[in-house]
Amino acid sequence: MLDLDKEVVDAEFEELGVDATYTPAVGDPVDCKILLSSDDDTALEFGGRSRPIGRNTVLRVRASEVSPANGQTFTLTNGGQVYRIAAEPALEDTARLVWRFKAVAV
């Protein structure tokens, strides 16, 4: 089953992924593909009620390409937009093939 999971993940990243470069704290930059989305609502508590005020940017990257760390950056190859990892990355898929984390544009 893991081989099928890997094939599906690889196909998704090849079809929908954006070329980027990951810059770790130590070592050389690594070329990779990322999936970029606006996923989670950011909310503000006001008077006992929660009001949505925006969306968080979420990045996903294949675990086979990089091991991301909080505070490190990804730079999009086309356009040069830089995203800093703003939360501890997690392997949330059952096959543990894709890192998912919140990021902020810098």
Side-chain angles (χ1 to χ4, degrees):
M1 188 67 149
L2 186 60
D3 289 338
L4 179 59
D5 291 335
K6 184 177 179 330
E7 286 181 34
V8 169
V9 166
D10 287 346
E12 177 183 28
F13 275 84
E14 290 306 316
E15 182 69 25
L16 304 174
V18 176
D19 291 328
T21 301
Y22 172 65
T23 306
V26 178
D28 295 326
V30 178
D31 291 334
C32 59
K33 285 195 180 280
I34 62 171
L35 296 176
L36 181 66
S37 64
S38 296
D39 247 6
D40 304 325
D41 283 331
T42 301
L44 175 66
E45 291 292 328
F46 183 76
R49 294 185 181 200
S50 179
R51 304 271 190 226
I53 59 171
R55 309 279 285 172
N56 288 321
T57 299
V58 176
L59 298 182
R60 295 189 307 146
V61 64
R62 288 180 278 201
S64 63
E65 292 185 305
V66 299
S67 294
N70 196 0
Q72 304 313 304
T73 61
F74 286 87
T75 304
L76 301 185
T77 302
N78 187 8
Q81 176 65 54
V82 177
Y83 291 92
R84 181 178 47 81
I85 301 171
E88 198 61 41
L91 290 167
E92 294 182 346
D93 61 313
T94 57
R96 302 180 59 82
L97 297 172
V98 179
W99 288 102
R100 182 182 185 275
F101 47 90
K102 292 180 184 173
V104 293
V106 292

